[in-house]
Amino acid sequence: MENKKLSIAILDDHPLIIEGLSTLFSNHEEFDLLGGFNKSEDLYSFEEIDKIDVLLLDIFFGDNNGIDICFELKKKYPKMIILGISSQSERSIVLQLIKQGASGYLLKTAKNEEYIHCIKEAAKGKMVFSKEVQVMLDKIQLSDLKSIPRLTKREKEILALLIKGKSTQEISEELFLSFLTIQTHRRNLLQKFDVKNSLELINFANENGLLNDAHFSNSF
Amino acid sequence: MENKKLSIAILDDHPLIIEGLSTLFSNHEEFDLLGGFNKSEDLYSFEEIDKIDVLLLDIFFGDNNGIDICFELKKKYPKMIILGISSQSERSIVLQLIKQGASGYLLKTAKNEEYIHCIKEAAKGKMVFSKEVQVMLDKIQLSDLKSIPRLTKREKEILALLIKGKSTQEISEELFLSFLTIQTHRRNLLQKFDVKNSLELINFANENGLLNDAHFSNSF
DNA sequence: TAAAAATTACCTGATTTCAGGTATTCAATT
DNA sequence: AATTGAATACCTGAAATCAGGTAATTTTTA
C-alpha cells in the first residue's frame, strides 16, 4: 500500500517565501503543493481547501493576523494541520497560536531540512517547533509563574503614561492629581507586579503584551 | 556592445527567501546570482565580494543588524549598490538605512516583477522603494526629525541590560565595570536619543524596533 | 604614525524614584 | 448600615537617577 502524498498549502503575504517553499516542495516527492496564497480570501475561496493536509500559515499577516485565521480555519476544518511560520519568535504569540489549535511553529530562519522534517512529523499528529522556538519554549519564564495582576482603572491609566516615559510630575499634571498621589499609585504598581523599578515594570508589561494598543483600548 | 549581466548577492538569514530569490533570478537572464548568504561572515569572506553590483540585504538580521552591515560595506565597497529587504516597513529604519548609503528598500511582500524592476533601476543609480514603502515615505512624520543614533558596542550592551530592568549597580556588576562608568554610558545614551529619562529611552527604542532580539542577541 | 573614537573612571549637586508608613473620602457591595 | 475596595493625599528618609563637568587609557581609523 503506497503512502498518499501530503497535500500542502501556504498562506503568506511574502511572494518570495511562497517561491522558496514551492522550490523546496518540488524537490521532495512526498509533498504535493496545492497552492500558495497571498491573501486569506484567496485561500478561503480555494475550491480544494478541504483537501489540504497541512497549511503553512504566516503569523504576521497583513491586516488579519494569523492567530485569528488559525482560529477560523480550525473551526471549519478541524482536521487541517496548521503550522505557524514567522520570522519572529515571540513567546506569547507562539503560545496563543497553539491555543488556537495550531500544530506547531516554524521560524523562517529554519533550514530546509528542518521544514521537511517538521511538516512530516506534524502530519503524523505531533506538535513541532523549529529549534530556536523550542529552545525559547523550554525556558521557563518568570512571567509564566507570575500571574498578571489585576489593575484598577487608575492604575492602568498611570501605567500607560509611565510606559510613555512620563515622570511622576508630568503624570500628576496630566491627570490633575497630586504628585504624591501618583507616587502612591506607582508604588502600588511596583508591588502588584512584584518588580523593583519602573524599567522592570515596563519590561514585564512588554513580555506579557500589555504594551500593545489592543490591551489599553479594550481589556482595561 | 552587449550589456554585462548584473551581479547579485543576497544576505538574509531566511533560507526560504534566498531560495525564492534564486528561483526568481534564474528565470531572468539579465541577472547573475553570485551567492546567497545566511551569515554576514560568509559574505565578508566571499572571494568575489568586490564583484557584487547589487546586494540584497535583510534588515532584521540575526547577529548584526542590517544597518550596521550596510554602513560597513559601503565604507569598504562604496560602489556596491545595497538594497534593504525586510518584512516590516518601519519608517525610521528605512530612513536610517538610506543614511548609511543604501539605494533603496524593498518589502518582502513586494511582487516578483517589482523586485526585478527595482533592482534594475537601482543598478542605474536610482533610489528605489517598493510601493508600500514609497507610500509610507510620502507621509511626513514628526519622528523623522529624530534619527536613530549610532550606538557603540558598549552602549548597545548597556541598553540591552537597561531594557531588562537592570539598575546601574547591577549592570556594573554584570560587566565588571565601575558604577560610575555605567552612569556615564547611561548619560550618553540619554543624550544620543535626546530623551530625558530611561523610560523614554526604552519607549523610543521600542518604537524603533530596537527591542527586538535580533538587534541584541550576538551583535556585541 | 597621528588623529579620532571609544571606553573607562571620577567629582559634585540637583532631582527623582523607591520604600515604609498613615489617613481621609467616595463608591460599591454585602 | 457596615464593610470593602479604590482613589486621593501626606510624611520621612534612603537610594537611584540625572546633568554638568573633566580626564586618562585603549582601540580604531585615517
Side-chain angles (χ1 to χ4, degrees):
Chain A
M1 186 171 124
E2 62 166 316
N3 276 331
K4 217 194 90 198
K5 283 190 181 187
L6 270 180
S7 297
I8 314 281
I10 308 162
L11 179 57
D12 193 319
D13 58 352
H14 305 88
L16 287 177
I17 291 287
I18 293 185
E19 192 93 47
L21 284 168
S22 299
T23 311
L24 180 61
F25 291 130
S26 67
N27 294 333
H28 288 263
E29 284 216 330
E30 57 270 47
F31 301 108
D32 181 20
L33 182 60
L34 298 183
F37 306 94
N38 290 128
K39 295 182 209 154
S40 53
E41 302 89 64
D42 294 349
L43 174 66
Y44 285 127
S45 62
F46 180 49
E47 63 274 4
E48 295 186 278
I49 187 169
D50 53 342
K51 289 189 188 143
I52 298 172
D53 295 317
V54 179
L55 174 70
L56 299 180
L57 175 62
D58 189 21
I59 298 312
F60 293 102
F61 197 77
D63 30 346
N64 262 299
N65 77 59
I67 291 166
D68 292 339
I69 294 176
C70 181
F71 177 73
E72 298 291 332
L73 284 172
K74 267 288 175 180
K75 209 163 49 179
K76 280 188 198 156
Y77 312 99
K79 274 185 246 170
M80 187 187 290
I81 287 172
I82 299 179
L83 292 180
I85 57 177
S86 162
S87 28
Q88 283 134 297
S89 60
E90 267 184 70
R91 190 181 182 73
S92 56
I93 302 232
V94 175
L95 296 175
Q96 264 182 281
L97 190 72
I98 299 304
K99 266 189 206 152
Q100 302 303 337
S103 300
Y105 196 94
L106 307 177
L107 272 189
K108 284 180 181 173
T109 51
K111 299 250 171 69
N112 288 352
E113 312 89 65
E114 216 173 338
Y115 265 86
I116 298 298
H117 176 255
C118 284
I119 293 170
K120 282 185 185 170
E121 290 297 303
K124 289 183 197 160
K126 287 188 186 165
M127 186 74 73
V128 292
F129 301 99
S130 64
K131 247 189 216 166
E132 285 183 63
V133 179
Q134 188 63 58
V135 170
M136 187 266 296
L137 288 176
D138 286 345
K139 286 186 228 154
I140 295 173
Q141 281 201 337
L142 228 150
S143 53
D144 294 337
L145 308 169
K146 264 188 207 173
S147 57
I148 299 174
R150 220 175 57 78
L151 301 183
T152 67
K153 234 195 256 172
R154 232 355 163 201
E155 285 167 346
K156 287 168 189 168
E157 200 175 7
I158 289 165
L159 176 58
L161 293 171
L162 221 45
I163 281 168
K164 281 190 192 163
K166 306 268 172 115
S167 67
T168 303
Q169 186 62 54
E170 288 172 319
I171 295 174
S172 72
E173 279 161 16
E174 201 162 325
L175 300 180
F176 304 107
L177 292 172
S178 159
F179 177 87
L180 298 158
T181 303
I182 307 300
Q183 274 197 334
T184 303
H185 283 302
R186 284 185 78 144
R187 175 158 34 103
N188 292 339
L189 278 168
L190 293 185
Q191 266 171 11
K192 281 195 179 184
F193 279 90
D194 189 26
V195 292
K196 69 172 192 315
N197 60 43
S198 300
L199 294 184
E200 263 191 49
L201 172 64
I202 289 183
N203 189 42
F204 183 83
N206 186 35
E207 269 181 8
N208 292 91
L210 270 76
L211 272 173
N212 302 336
D213 298 335
H215 275 80
F216 288 113
S217 47
N218 310 324
S219 75
F220 282 111
Chain B
M1 183 170 127
E2 62 168 314
N3 274 332
K4 215 195 89 195
K5 283 190 181 187
L6 270 181
S7 295
I8 313 281
I10 309 162
L11 179 58
D12 193 318
D13 59 349
H14 305 88
L16 288 175
I17 291 288
I18 294 187
E19 190 91 49
L21 284 168
S22 298
T23 311
L24 179 61
F25 291 130
S26 67
N27 294 333
H28 288 262
E29 285 214 333
E30 56 272 47
F31 301 109
D32 181 19
L33 182 59
L34 298 186
F37 306 93
N38 290 129
K39 294 182 212 153
S40 53
E41 302 90 63
D42 294 348
L43 173 66
Y44 285 127
S45 62
F46 180 48
E47 64 273 4
E48 296 185 279
I49 188 167
D50 53 340
K51 289 188 186 143
I52 298 171
D53 295 317
V54 179
L55 174 71
L56 301 179
L57 174 63
D58 189 21
I59 300 310
F60 294 103
F61 196 75
D63 30 344
N64 253 298
N65 81 57
I67 291 166
D68 289 340
I69 294 175
C70 181
F71 177 73
E72 300 292 332
L73 284 172
K74 266 289 175 184
K75 209 162 43 177
K76 281 189 197 156
Y77 311 100
K79 273 184 242 166
M80 188 187 289
I81 287 172
I82 298 179
L83 292 178
I85 57 176
S86 162
S87 30
Q88 283 132 297
S89 60
E90 275 179 68
R91 186 179 185 75
S92 52
I93 301 232
V94 176
L95 295 174
Q96 198 58 29
L97 190 72
I98 299 304
K99 267 191 203 150
Q100 301 305 337
S103 300
Y105 196 95
L106 307 176
L107 271 190
K108 286 182 182 171
T109 51
K111 300 250 171 67
N112 288 352
E113 311 89 66
E114 215 172 339
Y115 266 85
I116 298 299
H117 176 255
C118 285
I119 293 170
K120 283 184 185 169
E121 290 298 302
K124 288 181 198 160
K126 288 188 185 165
M127 188 72 74
V128 293
F129 301 97
S130 63
K131 246 187 216 167
E132 284 182 61
V133 180
Q134 189 61 60
V135 170
M136 185 267 297
L137 286 177
D138 288 343
K139 291 183 224 155
I140 294 171
Q141 276 195 324
L142 209 150
S143 55
D144 293 345
L145 305 171
K146 251 189 212 181
S147 61
I148 298 178
R150 238 192 115 58
L151 300 184
T152 67
K153 239 193 253 175
R154 239 339 172 213
E155 285 168 346
K156 283 180 192 170
E157 200 174 7
I158 288 164
L159 176 58
L161 292 171
L162 223 44
I163 280 168
K164 283 191 192 161
K166 306 264 171 121
S167 67
T168 303
Q169 186 62 54
E170 288 172 318
I171 295 174
S172 72
E173 281 160 16
E174 202 161 325
L175 301 180
F176 304 105
L177 291 172
S178 157
F179 178 88
L180 296 157
T181 302
I182 307 301
Q183 275 197 334
T184 303
H185 283 301
R186 284 187 74 145
R187 175 157 35 102
N188 291 340
L189 278 168
L190 294 184
Q191 262 172 14
K192 280 196 179 182
F193 280 91
D194 188 28
V195 292
K196 70 171 191 315
N197 61 42
S198 298
L199 295 183
E200 260 191 52
L201 172 63
I202 289 184
N203 188 41
F204 184 81
N206 185 35
E207 270 178 4
N208 291 291
L210 271 76
L211 272 172
N212 300 339
D213 298 334
H215 277 79
F216 290 117
S217 51
N218 308 315
S219 71
F220 323 95

